[in-house]
Amino acid sequence: DYLATAETWAYVPRGLSFAWRQSALPGVFADHPHASETNGSLWSLEFEVTCYAAVFLVGLLRGFDTRPRLVLLILALVAVKAATALMPGSFPPRLLNLVSLGFPFALGATLWIGRGWLPLSPLILAALVLVLALFWQTGLQRILYVVVLSYGTILIAHVPTGPLLLYNRLGDYSYGIYVYAWPVQQTVTGLAGPLSPLTNILLALPVVLSLAILSWHLVEKPALARARNPRA
């Protein structure tokens, strides 16, 4: 019955379409929490791909070539973010999600592109936190919070030195953990029954981390190498 159901075969093609994702496989995890999602982590794929497409388009339009163009682009993004934050009822939910996720993506990309002239300083972070505190409980709170979080994350990531950086040589398993955790934790629930969140995490973590390691070395790392050198 499972293999004869059209939704079984539509799951992957619809997921690859990004815009018409099918949330559940028929009967899979049907009696579990969040039964409507076989892998809820995949909800963000369409927005990730849209952000990558936007980078490609802006690159074609040479929007990253000069500092004034980059600043103009960021101001435009801030204006769009401000409009959606102050008037959320005027925009469709999908666009709100795209702007909400795309804004920190754009900030991170800007910090990378402008890494030669944009300073990373604890004093700047402290000033941003102060501005956030001044505008707390206002319509601009969420915008400023994202700015502080984005800048602070990049700053903190550059603080460790010496042996602390050895972890990076193992690989980047973060995305694999994000993608595989949901179905593995649902499987743990199916095998062991209802558990506390901490117990579920402890049981699922070894499997999730193993899958993330395999995914990094067999899929993600080779794909990134191919993207940087298509002839490799």
Side-chain angles (χ1 to χ4, degrees):
D1 290 343
Y2 178 76
L3 295 178
T5 303
E7 285 80 4
T8 300
W9 303 102
Y11 184 80
V12 171
R14 293 188 69 177
L16 290 175
S17 74
F18 302 114
W20 297 281
R21 185 178 72 87
Q22 178 181 317
S23 61
L25 284 163
V28 177
F29 305 140
D31 57 348
H32 293 193
H34 307 290
S36 61
E37 286 282 1
T38 298
N39 188 349
S41 301
L42 301 183
W43 76 274
S44 63
L45 277 179
E46 66 171 289
F47 304 106
E48 294 174 42
V49 172
T50 302
C51 287
Y52 300 146
V55 169
F56 177 70
L57 179 61
V58 173
L60 287 179
L61 298 175
R62 307 182 71 86
F64 301 128
D65 286 9
T66 64
R67 192 180 303 182
R69 291 181 186 179
L70 184 61
V71 172
L72 183 62
L73 181 64
I74 290 299
L75 290 177
L77 288 170
V78 170
V80 172
K81 176 62 178 174
T84 58
L86 296 174
M87 301 178 294
S90 303
F91 301 91
R94 216 167 196 167
L95 180 59
L96 290 175
N97 276 334
L98 176 60
V99 174
S100 178
L101 297 172
F103 187 57
F105 176 92
L107 290 177
T110 300
L111 287 170
W112 168 255
I113 295 168
R115 61 193 181 279
W117 51 275
L118 285 172
L120 286 176
S121 167
L123 293 178
I124 294 178
L125 178 60
L128 291 173
V129 171
L130 177 60
V131 173
L132 172 60
L134 293 175
F135 285 90
W136 197 255
Q137 302 298 333
T138 70
L140 298 177
Q141 170 187 332
R142 292 179 64 85
I143 301 175
L144 294 170
Y145 176 77
V146 171
V147 172
V148 170
L149 184 63
S150 301
Y151 186 88
T153 299
I154 300 299
L155 174 64
I156 293 171
H158 284 76
V159 170
T161 58
L164 288 176
L165 295 178
L166 294 176
Y167 172 80
N168 294 322
R169 298 182 183 180
L170 297 175
D172 184 359
Y173 307 142
S174 59
Y175 194 73
I177 291 173
Y178 170 70
V179 169
Y180 299 116
W182 185 292
V184 171
Q185 288 186 271
Q186 287 280 46
T187 302
V188 168
T189 299
L191 296 174
L195 301 167
S196 70
L198 179 59
T199 303
N200 185 289
I201 290 171
L202 291 176
L203 291 175
L205 182 58
V207 178
V208 173
L209 184 58
S210 297
L211 291 174
I213 291 172
L214 289 174
S215 180
W216 169 254
H217 291 288
L218 298 180
V219 179
E220 298 164 51
K221 186 178 180 180
L224 288 171
R226 181 63 61 89
R228 295 188 179 101
N229 184 9
R231 297 181 180 180

